[in-house]
Amino acid sequence: MLGSAATAVLIAFAGPLPEASAKEKTVMVGGAAMYPSKTIVANAVNSKDHTTLVAAVKAAGLVDTLSGPGPFTVFAPTNAAFRKLPKGTVETLVRPENKATLTRILTYHVVPGKLNADQLMDGQTLITVEGEPLRVRKTGGKVMIVDAKGGAATVTIPDVNQSNGVIHVVNSVLMPAS
């Protein structure tokens, strides 16, 4: 039998025990339950709809940041959102020589603090970790996030709570002006 220190290390590494997690209010994203007790990265790696985003986060070296205490609000593009980009864009961005550009694009999807959907107001400006603004647009009961180039992403799954913030799944990749 493991000692209490070894058990604590295993729990810290593997996350909460299944019976503890089963009591949490989860949201299904990409065929996987998203647990509020886990970090943004720990949940995102389980979503089949976010494999491109996870690969990009790894290539940009942002895993530790998005696993940190936050809190963060992340507008998380799906694989389908990345497929809307011109052919070859993702493959080009994940190359080591394009890490700075990839990092700018990814951090443009992150806002400091935890903002649930009911806190996002029509016309509100959000300053991203990248430094440029996003604008909130609410119409017909939908929340849209408008980027610096005028492109809009619709929040398709709001309020996916995490231990270090919240994810709002979006259907387009947001692009900074620069």
Side-chain angles (χ1 to χ4, degrees):
M1 179 154 206
L2 294 173
S4 61
T7 303
V9 169
L10 283 174
I11 290 172
F13 182 75
L17 298 172
E19 50 277 353
S21 298
K23 295 176 185 172
E24 294 183 74
K25 183 177 181 205
T26 62
V27 176
M28 296 298 289
V29 176
M34 301 289 116
Y35 292 97
S37 62
K38 292 186 178 184
T39 66
I40 290 165
V41 173
N43 273 317
V45 297
N46 294 315
S47 169
K48 292 177 187 160
D49 291 343
H50 290 90
T51 56
T52 304
L53 178 61
V54 169
V57 166
K58 288 178 181 177
L62 294 172
V63 170
D64 288 344
T65 300
L66 293 176
S67 296
F72 306 107
T73 298
V74 177
F75 298 102
T78 60
N79 295 339
F82 281 100
R83 285 194 298 272
K84 292 180 185 178
L85 296 173
K87 188 172 176 65
T89 300
V90 173
E91 293 78 10
T92 300
L93 286 171
V94 296
R95 291 185 188 144
E97 63 268 23
N98 297 318
K99 182 177 179 178
T101 301
L102 177 62
T103 300
R104 270 195 317 276
I105 292 168
L106 292 175
T107 57
Y108 189 60
H109 290 77
V110 181
V111 175
K114 181 180 179 184
L115 297 169
N116 287 322
D118 64 355
Q119 296 173 291
L120 300 172
M121 300 297 152
D122 190 43
Q124 182 179 11
T125 298
L126 307 172
I127 302 301
T128 67
V129 170
E130 184 266 347
E132 293 184 50
L134 293 169
R135 191 169 36 85
V136 177
R137 189 168 67 205
K138 283 189 163 182
T139 54
K142 292 188 180 195
V143 176
M144 299 181 76
I145 307 300
V146 181
D147 66 23
K149 295 186 175 186
T154 301
V155 174
T156 58
I157 304 174
D159 299 334
V160 184
N161 290 304
Q162 318 289 301
S163 65
N164 61 344
V166 63
I167 290 175
H168 302 290
V169 177
V170 295
N171 67 352
S172 293
V173 176
L174 301 161
M175 298 301 270
S178 56

mmCIF file of all heavy atoms in Angstrom, residues 15-35:
data_model
loop_
_atom_site.group_PDB
_atom_site.id
_atom_site.type_symbol
_atom_site.label_atom_id
_atom_site.label_comp_id
_atom_site.label_asym_id
_atom_site.label_seq_id
_atom_site.Cartn_x
_atom_site.Cartn_y
_atom_site.Cartn_z
ATOM 1 N N GLY A 15 -4.970 13.935 -11.131
ATOM 2 C CA GLY A 15 -6.218 14.687 -10.988
ATOM 3 C C GLY A 15 -7.117 14.007 -9.978
ATOM 4 O O GLY A 15 -6.740 13.021 -9.344
ATOM 5 N N PRO A 16 -8.327 14.555 -9.826
ATOM 6 C CA PRO A 16 -9.221 14.015 -8.814
ATOM 7 C C PRO A 16 -9.638 12.583 -9.132
ATOM 8 O O PRO A 16 -9.648 12.176 -10.288
ATOM 9 C CB PRO A 16 -10.422 14.950 -8.850
ATOM 10 C CG PRO A 16 -10.318 15.712 -10.100
ATOM 11 C CD PRO A 16 -8.890 15.647 -10.554
ATOM 12 N N LEU A 17 -9.973 11.858 -8.091
ATOM 13 C CA LEU A 17 -10.437 10.492 -8.271
ATOM 14 C C LEU A 17 -11.785 10.494 -8.985
ATOM 15 O O LEU A 17 -12.566 11.432 -8.840
ATOM 16 C CB LEU A 17 -10.568 9.808 -6.905
ATOM 17 C CG LEU A 17 -9.259 9.671 -6.122
ATOM 18 C CD1 LEU A 17 -9.535 9.155 -4.721
ATOM 19 C CD2 LEU A 17 -8.291 8.772 -6.853
ATOM 20 N N PRO A 18 -12.097 9.472 -9.779
ATOM 21 C CA PRO A 18 -13.342 9.455 -10.542
ATOM 22 C C PRO A 18 -14.583 9.695 -9.697
ATOM 23 O O PRO A 18 -15.461 10.428 -10.105
ATOM 24 C CB PRO A 18 -13.356 8.059 -11.165
ATOM 25 C CG PRO A 18 -11.925 7.650 -11.218
ATOM 26 C CD PRO A 18 -11.264 8.315 -10.043
ATOM 27 N N GLU A 19 -14.646 9.123 -8.506
ATOM 28 C CA GLU A 19 -15.864 9.311 -7.718
ATOM 29 C C GLU A 19 -16.014 10.765 -7.269
ATOM 30 O O GLU A 19 -17.116 11.263 -7.167
ATOM 31 C CB GLU A 19 -15.945 8.347 -6.539
ATOM 32 C CG GLU A 19 -14.749 8.236 -5.631
ATOM 33 C CD GLU A 19 -13.653 7.296 -6.110
ATOM 34 O OE1 GLU A 19 -13.815 6.581 -7.099
ATOM 35 O OE2 GLU A 19 -12.595 7.291 -5.469
ATOM 36 N N ALA A 20 -14.909 11.475 -7.044
ATOM 37 C CA ALA A 20 -14.989 12.897 -6.695
ATOM 38 C C ALA A 20 -15.418 13.698 -7.920
ATOM 39 O O ALA A 20 -16.242 14.589 -7.835
ATOM 40 C CB ALA A 20 -13.640 13.391 -6.180
ATOM 41 N N SER A 21 -14.861 13.376 -9.077
ATOM 42 C CA SER A 21 -15.178 14.089 -10.310
ATOM 43 C C SER A 21 -16.623 13.877 -10.726
ATOM 44 O O SER A 21 -17.236 14.760 -11.304
ATOM 45 C CB SER A 21 -14.256 13.633 -11.441
ATOM 46 O OG SER A 21 -12.918 13.937 -11.116
ATOM 47 N N ALA A 22 -17.168 12.716 -10.431
ATOM 48 C CA ALA A 22 -18.534 12.398 -10.845
ATOM 49 C C ALA A 22 -19.550 13.327 -10.198
ATOM 50 O O ALA A 22 -20.645 13.513 -10.715
ATOM 51 C CB ALA A 22 -18.855 10.944 -10.517
ATOM 52 N N LYS A 23 -19.193 13.946 -9.064
ATOM 53 C CA LYS A 23 -20.108 14.833 -8.365
ATOM 54 C C LYS A 23 -20.054 16.269 -8.898
ATOM 55 O O LYS A 23 -20.875 17.084 -8.540
ATOM 56 C CB LYS A 23 -19.786 14.835 -6.882
ATOM 57 C CG LYS A 23 -20.033 13.480 -6.239
ATOM 58 C CD LYS A 23 -19.619 13.482 -4.792
ATOM 59 C CE LYS A 23 -19.780 12.078 -4.227
ATOM 60 N NZ LYS A 23 -19.227 11.960 -2.893
ATOM 61 N N GLU A 24 -19.086 16.575 -9.748
ATOM 62 C CA GLU A 24 -18.940 17.918 -10.279
ATOM 63 C C GLU A 24 -19.952 18.167 -11.401
ATOM 64 O O GLU A 24 -20.330 17.247 -12.113
ATOM 65 C CB GLU A 24 -17.539 18.103 -10.869
ATOM 66 C CG GLU A 24 -16.448 18.049 -9.842
ATOM 67 C CD GLU A 24 -15.104 18.305 -10.467
ATOM 68 O OE1 GLU A 24 -14.832 19.461 -10.798
ATOM 69 O OE2 GLU A 24 -14.342 17.332 -10.633
ATOM 70 N N LYS A 25 -20.354 19.427 -11.553
ATOM 71 C CA LYS A 25 -21.233 19.800 -12.652
ATOM 72 C C LYS A 25 -20.359 19.994 -13.896
ATOM 73 O O LYS A 25 -19.595 20.949 -13.993
ATOM 74 C CB LYS A 25 -21.986 21.083 -12.337
ATOM 75 C CG LYS A 25 -22.959 21.443 -13.431
ATOM 76 C CD LYS A 25 -23.756 22.666 -13.119
ATOM 77 C CE LYS A 25 -24.688 22.856 -14.300
ATOM 78 N NZ LYS A 25 -25.132 24.163 -14.503
ATOM 79 N N THR A 26 -20.457 19.065 -14.805
ATOM 80 C CA THR A 26 -19.611 19.095 -15.990
ATOM 81 C C THR A 26 -20.395 19.569 -17.212
ATOM 82 O O THR A 26 -21.619 19.554 -17.220
ATOM 83 C CB THR A 26 -19.028 17.696 -16.293
ATOM 84 O OG1 THR A 26 -20.110 16.802 -16.561
ATOM 85 C CG2 THR A 26 -18.195 17.178 -15.134
ATOM 86 N N VAL A 27 -19.641 19.973 -18.225
ATOM 87 C CA VAL A 27 -20.183 20.325 -19.531
ATOM 88 C C VAL A 27 -19.489 19.412 -20.527
ATOM 89 O O VAL A 27 -18.277 19.199 -20.434
ATOM 90 C CB VAL A 27 -19.900 21.812 -19.864
ATOM 91 C CG1 VAL A 27 -20.369 22.166 -21.260
ATOM 92 C CG2 VAL A 27 -20.543 22.723 -18.828
ATOM 93 N N MET A 28 -20.228 18.882 -21.492
ATOM 94 C CA MET A 28 -19.627 18.028 -22.510
ATOM 95 C C MET A 28 -19.100 18.889 -23.658
ATOM 96 O O MET A 28 -19.827 19.717 -24.209
ATOM 97 C CB MET A 28 -20.660 17.029 -23.051
ATOM 98 C CG MET A 28 -21.158 16.034 -22.016
ATOM 99 S SD MET A 28 -19.855 14.963 -21.334
ATOM 100 C CE MET A 28 -19.513 13.930 -22.747
ATOM 101 N N VAL A 29 -17.831 18.685 -23.991
ATOM 102 C CA VAL A 29 -17.196 19.392 -25.103
ATOM 103 C C VAL A 29 -16.368 18.371 -25.870
ATOM 104 O O VAL A 29 -15.522 17.693 -25.290
ATOM 105 C CB VAL A 29 -16.295 20.549 -24.615
ATOM 106 C CG1 VAL A 29 -15.583 21.210 -25.786
ATOM 107 C CG2 VAL A 29 -17.109 21.573 -23.834
ATOM 108 N N GLY A 30 -16.624 18.260 -27.147
ATOM 109 C CA GLY A 30 -15.844 17.328 -27.959
ATOM 110 C C GLY A 30 -15.932 15.904 -27.478
ATOM 111 O O GLY A 30 -14.966 15.156 -27.563
ATOM 112 N N GLY A 31 -17.094 15.516 -26.954
ATOM 113 C CA GLY A 31 -17.313 14.151 -26.504
ATOM 114 C C GLY A 31 -16.718 13.822 -25.142
ATOM 115 O O GLY A 31 -16.716 12.667 -24.729
ATOM 116 N N ALA A 32 -16.217 14.826 -24.447
ATOM 117 C CA ALA A 32 -15.603 14.587 -23.140
ATOM 118 C C ALA A 32 -16.189 15.534 -22.097
ATOM 119 O O ALA A 32 -16.517 16.676 -22.405
ATOM 120 C CB ALA A 32 -14.092 14.788 -23.215
ATOM 121 N N ALA A 33 -16.296 15.032 -20.884
ATOM 122 C CA ALA A 33 -16.746 15.871 -19.774
ATOM 123 C C ALA A 33 -15.625 16.828 -19.394
ATOM 124 O O ALA A 33 -14.467 16.426 -19.289
ATOM 125 C CB ALA A 33 -17.123 15.003 -18.583
ATOM 126 N N MET A 34 -15.988 18.082 -19.205
ATOM 127 C CA MET A 34 -15.038 19.106 -18.757
ATOM 128 C C MET A 34 -15.290 19.332 -17.268
ATOM 129 O O MET A 34 -16.390 19.717 -16.873
ATOM 130 C CB MET A 34 -15.234 20.416 -19.521
ATOM 131 C CG MET A 34 -15.068 20.306 -21.031
ATOM 132 S SD MET A 34 -13.347 20.038 -21.551
ATOM 133 C CE MET A 34 -13.480 18.399 -22.293
ATOM 134 N N TYR A 35 -14.282 19.031 -16.457
ATOM 135 C CA TYR A 35 -14.416 19.088 -15.005
ATOM 136 C C TYR A 35 -13.963 20.439 -14.456
ATOM 137 O O TYR A 35 -12.833 20.862 -14.721
ATOM 138 C CB TYR A 35 -13.589 17.968 -14.361
ATOM 139 C CG TYR A 35 -14.148 16.608 -14.653
ATOM 140 C CD1 TYR A 35 -13.639 15.825 -15.690
ATOM 141 C CD2 TYR A 35 -15.205 16.108 -13.909
ATOM 142 C CE1 TYR A 35 -14.172 14.576 -15.970
ATOM 143 C CE2 TYR A 35 -15.740 14.852 -14.174
ATOM 144 C CZ TYR A 35 -15.223 14.101 -15.209
ATOM 145 O OH TYR A 35 -15.750 12.865 -15.477
#
